[in-house]
Amino acid sequence: MFTHSKQTLNQKKMKGYVQLYTGNGKGKTTAALGLALRAVGAGKKVYFAQFVKGKTYSEIEALAQYLPAIRLKQYGRGCFIKNDPVPEDIAAALVGLEEVKEIIQSGAYDVVVLDEACIALHYRLFSIEDLLKVIDLKPEQTEVIVTGRYAPQALVDRADLVTEMKEVKHYYQQGIQARKGIEF
C-alpha cells in the first residue's frame, strides 16, 4: 500500500501542468523567466514564445549570451500594440500559435512559455478556442506557462495553477518611465 502511494505521488510530480500568470501587476514575464531559469538548471529544455512583443528586451540579450538552452522566439512586429491591431499583428500571432502548436505536439521541450498570450487574446489576434486547442495537445509531461493581463475565464478554468499579479502601488504613477534592465 505505501509503495503504491509513493509511486502515485512520483507520477504526479512528473506530470506537466498548465500555469497562468495574469493580472494588472508587474512581474508576469519575470516570473515565467524565473521558472525557465529554474527548469534549465534542472536539465529541462525550454521554449519561450513571446506574443505581441517584437523588439529587443534585455531578457533576449541575456538569454542569448548566458542561457542559450532557453530558446526564445518573438511573434510580434517590433512594437507593443497600443490601439487596434493591424493585419500584420494578427498574421504574426497566428504564425506564432501554429509554431507553438508544433513545438508542443513534438514533446521536444519540457517547458513551453506562451508569454503575453493573454494580450494576444485581448486584441483578438487569435481565439481562446484556438489557444485551448493548442494547450490541450501538450504531452502529459510538458509544463505550459501562459502570461498576460486580461486572462479570459475559460483559460483560468483550464489552468492548473493561476497566479494573479495585483498592482498595489507603482512608480509609473509618479511619472517614472520604463527602465532598461528592470522593465524591459
Side-chain angles (χ1 to χ4, degrees):
M1 177 82 174
F2 180 72
T3 307
H4 183 276
S5 296
K6 189 175 182 179
Q7 182 182 18
T8 302
L9 183 60
N10 285 337
Q11 287 171 337
K12 286 183 180 179
K13 284 183 180 179
M14 299 305 291
K15 181 182 183 313
Y17 294 96
V18 176
Q19 298 187 27
L20 172 60
Y21 306 155
T22 192
N24 290 327
K26 179 180 172 343
K28 297 171 289 292
T29 297
T30 305
L33 285 163
L35 187 143
L37 172 66
R38 180 176 283 163
V40 168
K44 296 184 182 294
K45 291 182 69 179
V46 177
Y47 187 86
F48 206 102
Q50 285 192 320
F51 290 94
V52 181
K53 295 177 177 176
K55 63 182 185 177
T56 302
Y57 293 86
S58 296
E59 63 260 25
I60 294 170
E61 295 172 11
L63 291 176
Q65 186 172 354
Y66 301 110
L67 287 169
I70 298 174
R71 184 169 170 221
L72 185 141
K73 187 164 180 185
Q74 292 184 315
Y75 300 103
R77 296 184 320 110
C79 60
F80 202 86
I81 300 171
K82 292 189 168 113
N83 299 307
D84 291 334
V86 297
E88 292 83 3
D89 293 318
I90 296 167
L94 290 174
V95 165
L97 193 62
E98 186 60 33
E99 284 185 22
V100 166
K101 175 183 172 184
E102 293 171 14
I103 285 162
I104 286 175
Q105 280 184 300
S106 76
Y109 290 89
D110 303 296
V111 176
V112 178
V113 178
L114 308 175
D115 187 39
E116 301 294 4
C118 293
I119 292 293
L121 290 170
H122 178 73
Y123 282 105
R124 296 183 198 94
L125 303 182
F126 47 75
S127 71
I128 182 61
E129 293 80 15
D130 288 343
L131 178 61
L132 292 174
K133 285 178 189 173
V134 168
I135 291 170
D136 288 339
L137 292 171
K138 78 174 199 61
E140 187 174 350
Q141 73 281 2
T142 302
E143 195 86 8
V144 173
I145 292 83
V146 182
T147 76
R149 296 171 189 246
Y150 317 121
Q153 189 61 48
L155 185 56
V156 171
D157 293 344
R158 173 59 184 87
D160 300 297
L161 178 152
V162 178
T163 298
E164 183 176 0
M165 308 295 190
K166 179 182 174 188
E167 183 178 312
V168 175
K169 183 178 181 180
H170 201 302
Y171 39 79
Y172 281 170
Q173 297 161 350
Q174 299 171 354
I176 306 299
Q177 298 298 310
R179 298 166 296 149
K180 185 171 180 146
I182 306 297
E183 283 84 27
F184 69 94

